[in-house]
Amino acid sequence: MTVNPTLRLTSQHGQPSLARMPNIRDVVQALGGREGVEGVILLGHDGLTIDSFISAGLDPDSVSALVPSVIDSCNRVGTESGREKLTTGVMEYSGGFAIFAQLTPETLLTILAKPDAKIGSLLYDLRRHRVAIAELL
């Protein structure tokens, strides 16, 4: 019997069942579905998009190409100020927020949010679930 690798055996109320394990696409879509979020981009440190969930009018590849240089600049500031490497950064623009998170040494997450988005709960969830998200990669 061949078992789909995205399925796992679980027991709910004493009954075994095959339940689909979440994958990184599920996480990207869940973050993209949050109120006030306009886009989520998972990308490599090379600036290439791995996955995205973007509202109309945004080009994930154009944004992805710019993010590594922003992260590198933030890391230099962290080094020079004794703060070490960036784990999460928030940039506030007149048109909304850009949130950058380092998931693994090779993988970054960018979330684009509207100016009225409740980013506090989003930042809390990113901090709380960062390891679990990274393990899906």
Side-chain angles (χ1 to χ4, degrees):
M1 177 175 135
T2 304
V3 177
N4 184 329
T6 63
L7 298 177
R8 65 183 165 94
L9 187 63
T10 61
S11 180
Q12 191 174 45
H13 306 294
Q15 297 295 319
S17 67
L18 288 177
R20 188 167 101 43
M21 290 177 57
N23 59 37
I24 196 64
R25 172 152 277 244
D26 295 330
V27 172
V28 168
Q29 290 179 348
L31 288 169
R34 291 179 72 135
E35 186 176 341
V37 172
E38 296 180 302
V40 178
I41 306 167
L42 180 67
L43 63 138
H45 239 295
D46 56 5
L48 297 176
T49 302
I50 297 169
D51 198 1
S52 65
F53 186 89
I54 299 287
S55 63
L58 295 173
D59 179 12
D61 295 329
S62 294
V63 176
S64 291
L66 299 171
V67 171
S69 62
V70 171
I71 299 300
D72 289 342
S73 295
C74 290
N75 282 334
R76 284 197 302 272
V77 170
T79 299
E80 292 301 319
S81 64
R83 303 297 184 264
E84 301 183 24
K85 293 196 176 244
L86 180 77
T87 54
T88 303
V90 179
M91 305 291 279
E92 183 177 6
Y93 300 94
S94 58
F97 295 95
I99 301 167
F100 306 105
Q102 183 86 42
L103 296 178
T104 71
E106 302 84 25
T107 313
L108 305 165
L109 180 70
T110 301
I111 301 172
L112 305 171
K114 295 177 182 179
D116 60 348
K118 294 178 172 61
I119 63 167
S121 64
L122 183 59
L123 292 170
Y124 173 78
D125 287 343
L126 277 176
R127 177 178 279 188
R128 185 171 162 222
H129 299 293
R130 179 186 313 272
V131 172
I133 294 170
E135 287 174 353
L136 294 174
L137 297 171

